[in-house]
Amino acid sequence: MAQQKILPKTLTMTFDDGSRAEIGFENLPLTLQAELLRQPFASFKSPAPQTEKYLVIEWKDGWREVFQVPRTCTEVNRYYVITRPENCGRLSIKKEDGYPELIEIDRDALNLRRLAFTQTLNLDPAKSDREGSKTEHHFVLEKGPDLLMELKTALRLALHGEGETARTLQDACDAAATDLCMRLAGRLNLRAGRRRQDLQDFLVYLAADE
Amino acid sequence: MAPSTYKDREASTMEVKWCGFDYGQCIMEPGGLRNPRVFGDLYKELGKPELIPEKVFKYRVLKEKYGTYGRIKEGHRDEIYAFVLDNDPVAIELFSRKEQELLDMGEGLEDALVYIKSLGIELQVVSEMKKTLGPVGTDIVSRFLKARGLVAYFKELVTPQGKINLLDNSVDPKYVGHTKNDGTLYDVLALELAERGIAPQEAVMVGDKPETDINPAHDRGFKTIQYTGFIDLGESKADLRISSFAELKNILKKKDA
């Protein structure tokens, strides 16, 4: 009988100020669980390698790769390749260390109107360069009306509409803060791009001058 | 623009009194319905952007279980809700809304409809409506037609669930249980058109699927046009094949009474 694999129970993170955050491993998104478990620090050898199941793939050039798959896998279902041109936006921001911050935009990348960082920039298509099957669409960035100021005004109105104040937003914590932020964000048509906390922090930032 | 492919060059124009359009991959094109966009927008709107990769991945796993996204939506929508959306009612409602928002209209369709309507040719949507859920009248097809303003051209939707009046949501049950696939829906349609003095050869069906839109209609005397603008499903009994709805403006003429 195959020996049971050792499964992680909790993930604990210790921060440089000494604080800690802990979460049940199974509460993490599945893709993150898989990503963590493939890191060397969390990859333990199988207690019984001979009872594991493995997939081996060989390419026409002789290259081979092996994948351990769950023991519950039974037989190959199918294989297919999807070929489609994707529009992937790449927004780079200069950094002091010389290595730019790269933000990949996968949502409707050709249709960005403007962005706000140190100033607001309008985006307009400039030229498209084709290299084989790849095309790069370049945009000119021109200074435009202040988007952050618009958002500050909109937040003020949103707070008024919710019957709340900037102070409430700054002082709210945990569930109450999340709930308020989601309602305010809805009024601003604003969402977190990749990390939900970014949204809350940004709203507090916007409200700071109020 | 000339019709792209002729089976019979004599038939480069068609004189008709009635024109039926299929819905999926014809009036409605699902090309904009991309998983990263659907689940990306959905979970950002829910304030949980960290879940996007997992949700896209799980939906792709479902596709491997059932073969195509179409099959999931036809018969296993409950698994989208349970396996992918964790039965979260807000996520389920948003999923349906995002599906609607990201569907496209066939290119050149509305221009062609304006032309056909101006000729006085009757227009109806004839849909198998397999992938719809929800009460008739608020189903995905009706919602799409209403949201895109296509009720200006199509007042009725003929389906195996009945003939739906898109203006008042009333349902005429005479089509219930008849399908395009077995052809009996076209039998009922032919009888109904006959009551208005329209013979099958004075009616044309436009669609992409040979087995539901073209061949059974053709076998019952309807004229047929295979639309390949979104997907070319191969050989059929169609009288004509078109790759753009704009071609209909050169093909269709009003048959005098």
Side-chain angles (χ1 to χ4, degrees), chain A residues 164-179:
Chain A
E164 303 284 2
T165 64
R167 171 62 64 188
T168 321
L169 177 63
Q170 287 154 10
D171 292 347
C173 54
D174 300 336
T178 303
D179 183 55

Side-chain angles (χ1 to χ4, degrees), chain A:
Chain A
M1 192 170 158
Q3 288 179 260
Q4 287 293 314
K5 279 193 168 180
I6 303 167
L7 297 173
K9 289 185 72 72
T10 56
L11 178 70
T12 305
M13 296 174 75
T14 306
F15 295 86
D16 59 8
D17 66 349
S19 61
R20 285 154 57 101
E22 188 171 286
I23 187 170
F25 193 78
E26 64 180 18
N27 293 327
L28 293 169
L30 289 177
T31 43
L32 179 56
Q33 289 183 29
E35 192 61 34
L36 285 169
L37 287 174
R38 80 189 186 96
Q39 303 304 317
F41 82 92
S43 296
F44 298 108
K45 66 180 180 182
S46 169
Q50 68 279 14
T51 65
E52 302 293 354
K53 290 186 177 177
Y54 303 93
L55 165 72
V56 179
I57 298 175
E58 183 179 82
W59 274 255
K60 289 180 178 172
D61 65 359
W63 180 282
R64 298 189 188 111
E65 292 184 7
V66 62
F67 303 78
Q68 190 178 125
V69 298
R71 291 175 184 154
T72 49
C73 288
T74 53
E75 62 180 321
V76 171
N77 190 23
R78 63 177 179 172
Y79 173 70
Y80 60 100
V81 176
I82 298 172
T83 301
R84 81 169 32 120
E86 300 286 358
N87 293 322
C88 180
R90 292 187 183 173
L91 173 62
S92 69
I93 303 172
K94 288 179 183 169
K95 270 169 55 181
E96 290 171 358
D97 65 4
Y99 295 97
E101 177 79 3
L102 176 63
I103 298 176
E104 294 201 323
I105 307 291
D106 53 13
R107 182 187 191 278
D108 207 4
L110 286 171
N111 287 308
L112 270 60
R113 178 188 296 146
R114 55 186 175 151
L115 57 91
F117 186 50
T118 54
Q119 58 183 339
T120 298
L121 300 169
N122 293 331
L123 291 90
D124 284 306
K127 60 168 187 163
S128 298
D129 298 328
R130 191 178 70 80
E131 297 175 8
S133 59
K134 183 185 82 169
T135 304
E136 288 190 359
H137 306 279
H138 294 269
F139 289 75
V140 287
L141 306 173
E142 287 186 350
K143 192 169 185 293
D146 192 341
L147 175 57
L148 287 180
M149 196 54 71
E150 277 181 44
L151 286 170
K152 283 184 181 184
T153 305
L155 178 61
R156 195 180 308 125
L157 291 171
L159 282 165
H160 182 72
E162 292 289 335
E164 303 284 2
T165 64
R167 171 62 64 188
T168 321
L169 177 63
Q170 287 154 10
D171 292 347
C173 54
D174 300 336
T178 303
D179 183 55
L180 176 58
C181 284
M182 287 302 292
R183 283 185 279 127
L184 293 170
R187 288 175 179 264
L188 268 63
N189 203 17
L190 180 68
R191 283 114 196 154
R194 63 183 172 194
R195 198 179 76 116
R196 67 170 80 179
Q197 189 59 43
D198 293 351
L199 180 64
Q200 290 192 25
D201 290 347
F202 179 63
L203 290 177
V204 172
Y205 159 81
L206 282 181
D209 298 338
E210 296 299 314

Side-chain angles (χ1 to χ4, degrees), chain B residues 91-135:
Chain B
I92 291 169
E93 170 55 29
L94 270 177
F95 180 75
S96 298
R97 210 174 81 203
K98 291 295 168 194
E99 269 186 311
Q100 277 289 325
E101 287 174 8
L102 297 174
L103 296 175
D104 296 326
M105 219 170 9
E107 194 177 340
L109 173 70
E110 192 151 14
D111 198 32
L113 293 176
V114 168
Y115 168 79
I116 296 168
K117 188 180 177 188
S118 74
L119 296 180
I121 295 172
E122 284 186 37
L123 285 160
Q124 278 181 316
V125 179
V126 184
S127 170
E128 198 77 318
M129 237 165 92
K130 275 184 179 173
K131 297 177 189 173
T132 56
L133 272 192

Side-chain angles (χ1 to χ4, degrees), chain B residues 12-218:
Chain B
S12 59
T13 61
M14 289 180 175
E15 292 193 352
V16 295
K17 296 176 179 174
W18 178 93
C19 181
F21 279 83
D22 175 44
Y23 171 71
Q25 300 174 343
C26 187
I27 289 176
M28 179 280 290
E29 294 190 352
L33 208 57
R34 302 288 308 281
N35 294 332
R37 178 71 188 275
V38 173
F39 292 104
D41 278 13
L42 196 165
Y43 279 93
K44 284 176 186 173
E45 202 150 330
L46 284 177
K48 300 173 181 174
E50 70 279 2
L51 293 181
I52 295 166
E54 173 181 318
K55 300 303 179 184
V56 171
F57 179 76
K58 287 181 120 178
Y59 196 44
R60 286 176 181 158
V61 169
L62 263 195
K63 182 191 173 194
E64 294 315 300
K65 183 174 179 183
Y66 293 109
T68 65
Y69 291 121
R71 276 194 207 126
I72 303 172
K73 291 186 179 179
E74 275 172 29
H76 309 281
R77 211 173 167 88
D78 55 328
E79 265 188 272
I80 303 175
Y81 300 160
F83 181 69
V84 184
L85 304 175
D86 300 323
N87 281 326
D88 174 353
V90 182
I92 291 169
E93 170 55 29
L94 270 177
F95 180 75
S96 298
R97 210 174 81 203
K98 291 295 168 194
E99 269 186 311
Q100 277 289 325
E101 287 174 8
L102 297 174
L103 296 175
D104 296 326
M105 219 170 9
E107 194 177 340
L109 173 70
E110 192 151 14
D111 198 32
L113 293 176
V114 168
Y115 168 79
I116 296 168
K117 188 180 177 188
S118 74
L119 296 180
I121 295 172
E122 284 186 37
L123 285 160
Q124 278 181 316
V125 179
V126 184
S127 170
E128 198 77 318
M129 237 165 92
K130 275 184 179 173
K131 297 177 189 173
T132 56
L133 272 192
V136 165
T138 60
D139 56 87
I140 288 172
V141 182
S142 299
R143 284 167 64 182
F144 178 89
L145 296 170
K146 290 172 184 172
R148 301 299 197 283
L150 294 178
V151 285
Y153 312 101
F154 301 108
K155 307 294 182 212
E156 291 173 332
L157 170 59
V158 175
T159 83
Q161 298 176 40
K163 185 173 72 174
I164 301 164
N165 184 313
L166 292 166
L167 300 178
D168 61 15
N169 291 338
S170 62
V171 180
D172 179 342
K174 71 165 69 82
Y175 289 88
V176 172
H178 298 285
T179 69
K180 290 162 73 173
N181 196 46
D182 69 17
T184 57
L185 186 139
Y186 294 106
D187 291 329
V188 181
L189 184 58
L191 287 173
E192 191 172 44
L193 290 175
E195 290 171 9
R196 304 205 292 271
I198 302 173
Q201 63 271 21
E202 295 172 326
V204 60
M205 182 66 204
V206 182
D208 65 306
K209 296 173 222 42
E211 71 275 18
T212 55
D213 302 322
I214 305 300
N215 297 345
H218 181 273

